Structure formats: C-alpha cells, structure tokens
C-alpha cells in the first residue's frame, strides 16, 4: 500500500484514515450513507466507501446537521477523528461540516439497514456492491487475485494472456458459445469474418501449452465461457480461470505439490491482508473458520486414487445410500465429492488417476492402460476446486487419440505439431477462481461471488 496516497491527488479511503489517522486530527471523509439515526440532542450516521467491512460512525452533536442525510446519499464530511466507545469499531468522526454530494430518495432506495436475501440483491445488481456481503466478496476477490499473482511471480512463472476467441473446444464437450458476424448468411454458425467456425474459449490450456514449449512455467488469469444451460448455483456462463502449465514434469507429485502450495499461499495472503473480510463470513460459521485455517496451514492435503475413492464411497453407500450409486468407470457426482471432502476427510483431498474413458483426450495414460495421470482437488463447500493432469507429449499417441475421437481433421494440427519439435513431459491444471472464493466465504452460490453473473436466461447490464 502506498505510504503517501495524497501524492496521487486522490482522497484517502476510510481504511487508511482508520488505520493511520491520529486521534484528534482533522480529517475529511467521503462515501455513501448506510444509515441515519436522529435523536433529540444528537444524530448518528454510518458512512462507507467500500474499503472496510463496517464503514465509520459519524457523530453529530447538533441533530440539525443530519438534515437532508438519507440512506444511499453520497457525502463529504469534515471533522475530528476520535476514539470510539462503540463495540466493533476503533474510531469515529465528530462531524464539523457535512456536504451532500448526491441525494438519494429514501422512499425508493432499496438497500435499507436490514437483512436482504442474496436473491433480492441479485435483482438490484447495480446497487448490490454497497451491501456488506458483496462488498466483502469484492475485496476478497481483489486480494485473492493479488495473492495468486504474487505466488506465481515468486515461483518464476510467466503470465500469458490467452485468447478469448478460439477455433478449438479444449474440453471437447461442445458447450461453447459460437460467434457469428452481423449480416452473415451462414446457417451453420461459421463466422464469415474469420473464415472458419470460432467460439469463446472454455479454457486457455491448449494455448498455454504453446508457451510452455518455450518457457518452463507459465500461467494465465482469464475469463472463460461455457454454454451450459444448468440453473444450479454451481455454474456460470462466464467465469474466471487460473491455469498453469509446467514443462519437464515426469509424474503427478510435483503438480500436486504446486497446487497445494498455491492454495495454501493464497489463503495465507488472505489471512494477512483480508482478515476482517474472512472474519465477516466466518463470524457465525465455526466450520468455515477452521477450514480456512486448515487450508492456510502447511499440513499436506489428503491424497487418494480414484479407485480408492470408489471403494470409500461404495462402503459409505451401504449405510447412507447416495442418489447415484458409485461405480468404477463413472465420474464422481457432486454428492460423492461432498462426502469425500466434507465427511470422510473433512479437509482438501486430491483424487488422482481417473479412468481414461471419462477424461479429455490430452491426458497422459498411465502404464495400467486403464487410467490417466490426472487429479481433481476436492474441498468442503464447492466440492471440485480444480483439475489437472500430465499432458500426452508423444506425437504418434496423441495423433491417434484425436483421430479415434473423430475430432475435425486438421483442426488440432498445430497442437500435435508441438510434439514434433522438442517435446517434453509436461502437465498443468485449471482452477475456477469463483470456486476458490466460494470455499473461503462459505457462500452457497457462485452467482453471489462474481460481480456480474451470467447464466442461462440471465444477462443483466
């Protein structure tokens, strides 16, 4: 944080005033009024500027100073910084002068000082950043992104800006948004502009692998898009991904260690820099507080194979009966992941070596001929936090795999050709950024974690 923000010509935030302002000094604060309370001989207001969870209390010895103050209006207040006797706040301001910058109609302003459901806040998305919950989420997102960038920078990763527009479908699921140009006469969603079918990316992995053939360690922090019609709180049509690729990786262990340290380091960064925000979400959730502490510790995450996971789940199924019976060869369902992470281990757990038939074409086969060298990290809350694998680095094998899947001939020649010119064993992973924030906040829906949620049937603003 800059030691002298005034050199930028910007007004100080409440966070800076509260942390560094001397008691008895004259200060000027600006922000938005959260609440106003007028009594016979005194008046109070809470003002917030988004930099702190609670805002700051304004004391008006003359209640007439509160004239015109309404919830939601913007103000500039000059006064003396004083020690606060109130619980949950260290300082307050004894107002000397109040200027209303922008008025707010108290009869129609939808954010009152009471509990609002997350569903209600989604309906007023243009104002919901002023709520305590969404404000805390926004600050956590900012700090978490900084923590991730710091981790990768300190470990000599090069950031790559992978494209949003692409001609491939990395996951092969077909759930892509295809692009067309205005006035196009094409009927098969082929873009006349590019001369071929193009879509919004679902992952930057394949493009990262290009740079991983020149740099040992690369990563991105990009938006991704998925045309999935699901209406659950676990899915979005637009979201953010953190993806990384590492060259000269011969087995899963270094990849598991990298993921473990990334998650631990980022969570420690949050505890050091956004402890108030984490505390806001954990104040009535002891399990969440313990989870954050566990994730931030240096204690290793649990590790099991897919086969071991199926064995655990089948034994559990005899007692509690899952909706979907766990069977070898089928993907794990959300209820299975939740049981493993929340009940059986009660901590983050890596599940490795899934059957090849249920995983993408680019994953490296294991020597057993049935499974691939891959991993998912399951955590309490969002369940699957991230997934990754070693990548197939042999030209002949990956070319045969692509042909056997019926992928459009020639569409991935550039990808297979990487295996012809100095190919090396390599691997990587992708983490849903919203799911990480979901883990540390305990919020049920990712729609309350991303600033502007887009999903099937919903695209406001």
């Amino acid at each position: 944080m800059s030691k002298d923000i005034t050199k930028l010509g910007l007004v100080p935030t409440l966070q800076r005033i509260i942390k560094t302002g001397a008691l008895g000094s004259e200060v000027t604060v600006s922000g938005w009024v959260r609440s106003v309370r007028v009594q016979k001989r005194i008046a109070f207001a809470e003002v917030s500027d988004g930099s702190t969870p609670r805002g700051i209390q304004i004391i008006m010895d003359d209640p007439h100073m509160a004239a015109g103050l309404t919830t939601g209006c913007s103000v500039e207040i000059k006064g003396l910084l004083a020690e606060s006797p109130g619980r949950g706040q260290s300082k307050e301001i004894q107002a000397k002068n109040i200027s209303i910058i922008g008025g707010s109609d108290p009869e129609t302003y939808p954010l009152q000082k009471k509990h609002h459901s997350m569903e209600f806040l989604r309906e007023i998305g243009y104002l919901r950043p002023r709520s305590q919950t969404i404000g805390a989420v926004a600050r956590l997102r900012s700090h978490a992104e900084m923590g991730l960038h710091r981790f990768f920078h300190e470990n000599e990763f090069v950031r790559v800006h992978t494209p949003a527009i692409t001609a491939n479908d990395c996951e092969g699921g077909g759930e892509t948004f295809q692009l067309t140009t205005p006035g196009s006469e094409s009927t098969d969603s082929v873009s006349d502009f590019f001369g071929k079918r193009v879509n919004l990316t679902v992952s930057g992995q394949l493009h990262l692998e290009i740079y991983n053939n020149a740099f040992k360690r690369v990563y991105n922090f990009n938006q991704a898009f998925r045309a999935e019609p699901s209406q659950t709180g676990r899915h979005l049509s637009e979201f953010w991904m953190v993806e990384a690729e590492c060259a000269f990786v011969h087995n899963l262990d270094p990849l598991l260690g990298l993921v473990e340290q990334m998650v631990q380091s980022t969570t420690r960064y949050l505890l050091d820099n956004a402890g108030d925000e984490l505390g806001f979400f954990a104040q009535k959730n002891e399990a969440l507080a313990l989870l954050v502490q566990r994730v931030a510790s240096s204690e290793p995450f649990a590790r099991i194979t897919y086969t071991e996971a199926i064995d655990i789940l089948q034994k559990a199924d005899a007692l509690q009966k899952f909706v979907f019976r766990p069977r070898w060869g089928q993907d794990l369902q959300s209820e299975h992941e939740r049981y493993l992470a929340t009940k059986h281990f009660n901590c983050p757990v890596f599940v490795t070596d899934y059957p090849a038939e249920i995983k993408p074409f680019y994953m490296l086969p294991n020597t057993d001929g049935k499974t691939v060298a891959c991993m998912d990290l399951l955590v309490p809350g969002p369940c699957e936090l991230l997934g990754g694998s070693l990548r197939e680095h042999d030209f002949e094998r990956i070319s045969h795999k692509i042909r056997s899947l019926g992928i459009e001939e020639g569409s991935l020649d550039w990808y297979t050709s990487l295996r012809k010119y100095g190919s090396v064993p390599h691997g990587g992973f992708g983490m849903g950024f919203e799911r990480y924030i979901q883990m540390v906040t305990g919020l049920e829906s990712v729609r309350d974690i991303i600033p502007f949620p887009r999903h099937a049937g919903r695209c406001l603003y």
Side-chain angles (χ1 to χ4, degrees):
M1 183 180 292
S2 171
K3 291 184 178 181
D4 190 0
I5 199 75
T6 58
K7 288 183 178 180
L8 297 177
L10 301 175
V11 296
T13 63
L14 286 178
Q15 180 189 49
R16 175 166 291 277
I17 290 172
I18 292 171
K19 281 188 175 182
T20 65
L23 294 176
S25 63
E26 290 190 0
V27 296
T28 300
V29 300
S30 51
W32 294 268
V33 174
R34 276 187 174 164
S35 64
V36 181
R37 183 161 50 96
V38 179
Q39 297 179 356
K40 191 173 183 179
R41 295 190 173 126
I42 197 171
F44 305 89
E46 181 185 350
V47 173
S48 172
D49 68 354
S51 63
T52 60
R54 289 182 59 92
I56 194 167
Q57 180 166 256
I58 310 298
I59 309 297
M60 293 162 277
D61 291 334
D62 180 358
H64 292 96
M65 295 178 69
L69 283 185
T70 60
T71 304
C73 74
S74 55
V75 295
E76 183 179 87
I77 299 173
K78 296 180 180 180
L80 298 178
L81 194 62
E83 185 176 1
S84 175
R87 187 174 63 179
Q89 55 189 14
S90 60
K91 297 174 181 177
E92 62 188 23
I93 293 175
Q94 296 173 349
K96 300 300 181 183
N97 181 267
I98 297 177
S99 300
I100 298 175
I101 307 301
S104 175
D105 183 353
E107 298 300 321
T108 60
Y109 184 67
L111 280 175
Q112 300 298 322
K113 193 173 182 180
K114 63 178 183 179
H115 172 74
H116 295 292
S117 70
M118 302 309 289
E119 291 79 7
F120 173 78
L121 291 176
R122 287 179 215 142
E123 296 300 319
I124 54 167
Y126 66 101
L127 285 174
R128 75 174 187 163
R130 294 190 188 181
S131 70
Q132 282 188 299
T133 299
I134 302 303
V137 168
R139 290 188 295 274
L140 277 175
R141 285 182 69 100
S142 181
H143 285 296
E145 181 176 351
M146 185 65 71
L148 285 163
H149 287 309
R150 189 186 71 159
F151 172 82
F152 285 118
H153 178 74
E154 290 177 348
N155 287 282
E156 301 178 84
F157 280 74
V158 173
R159 184 180 181 182
V160 178
H161 297 98
T162 52
I165 298 175
T166 179
N168 69 72
D169 176 6
C170 177
E171 299 298 325
E175 297 170 334
T176 60
F177 288 103
Q178 294 184 354
L179 302 183
T180 59
T181 52
S184 171
E185 296 180 359
S186 303
T187 58
D188 58 354
S189 298
V190 175
S191 171
D192 291 341
F193 186 88
F194 291 102
K196 62 166 62 176
R197 180 181 290 110
V198 295
N199 47 266
L200 296 178
T201 184
V202 297
S203 168
Q205 177 204 316
L206 303 189
H207 297 97
L208 273 182
E209 288 192 53
I210 293 176
Y211 272 75
N212 198 206
N213 252 9
F215 299 86
K216 280 186 177 178
R217 292 184 282 277
V218 295
Y219 82 105
N220 71 5
F221 190 96
N222 281 23
Q223 285 166 291
F225 308 85
R226 193 182 297 273
E228 185 174 12
S230 173
Q231 291 291 344
T232 73
R234 300 179 68 242
H235 297 92
L236 291 165
S237 297
E238 179 185 28
F239 49 95
W240 288 82
M241 290 288 293
V242 182
E243 299 173 289
E245 294 290 323
C246 302
F248 301 96
V249 175
H250 298 270
N251 57 63
L252 277 179
D253 285 342
L255 208 57
L256 297 178
L258 170 65
V259 167
E260 190 172 82
Q261 290 182 50
M262 178 194 73
V263 174
Q264 291 172 338
S265 173
T266 304
T267 308
R268 284 194 294 270
Y269 186 88
L270 288 182
L271 284 170
D272 291 340
N273 295 277
D276 289 343
E277 283 73 20
L278 291 174
F280 171 79
F281 289 104
Q283 58 188 334
K284 296 181 180 179
N285 190 338
E286 183 180 358
L288 177 62
L290 292 173
L291 172 64
V292 171
Q293 292 292 337
R294 169 65 174 85
V295 172
S297 74
S298 57
E299 186 177 350
F301 298 165
R303 300 185 183 188
I304 57 172
T305 66
Y306 167 87
T307 300
E308 291 170 335
I310 292 297
D311 182 57
I312 292 170
L313 292 167
Q314 287 179 339
K315 290 177 180 177
D317 186 51
L319 299 175
Q320 68 172 50
K321 297 298 180 185
F322 294 111
V323 176
F324 297 94
R325 298 197 64 185
R327 291 189 177 90
W328 201 99
Q330 296 182 357
D331 211 349
L332 300 182
Q333 301 295 318
S334 296
E335 60 177 339
H336 303 149
E337 296 172 343
R338 189 175 300 107
Y339 177 84
L340 291 170
T342 305
K343 290 189 176 181
H344 189 83
F345 290 100
N346 193 29
C347 73
V349 52
F350 286 109
V351 181
T352 64
D353 306 303
Y354 283 71
E357 295 301 316
I358 62 174
K359 288 297 181 180
F361 71 93
Y362 50 74
M363 293 188 175
L364 182 69
N366 286 322
T367 55
D368 62 11
K370 298 186 298 182
T371 62
V372 288
C374 68
M375 56 87 175
D376 284 346
L377 177 59
L378 310 181
V379 296
C383 298
E384 183 185 342
L385 178 61
L386 58 80
S389 75
L390 300 183
R391 316 309 192 190
E392 176 59 81
H393 55 275
D394 181 86
F395 174 76
E396 296 296 338
R397 287 200 300 261
I398 198 163
S399 297
H400 178 267
K401 181 70 172 179
I402 288 172
R403 288 194 300 270
S404 68
L405 293 174
I407 295 174
E408 183 180 352
E409 186 175 355
S411 64
L412 288 174
D413 282 354
W414 60 272
Y415 183 71
T416 59
S417 291
L418 289 171
R419 278 72 178 163
K420 295 168 64 176
Y421 307 110
S423 180
V424 299
H426 62 287
F429 64 88
M431 179 179 78
F433 185 59
E434 280 73 32
R435 291 196 175 184
Y436 173 78
I437 301 298
Q438 187 178 23
M439 176 185 71
V440 298
T441 61
L443 291 174
E444 293 184 4
S445 175
V446 291
R447 297 173 185 178
D448 304 317
I449 291 168
I450 197 165
F452 302 99
R454 276 83 170 92
H455 52 89
R458 186 84 167 181
C459 185
L460 297 179
Y461 320 118

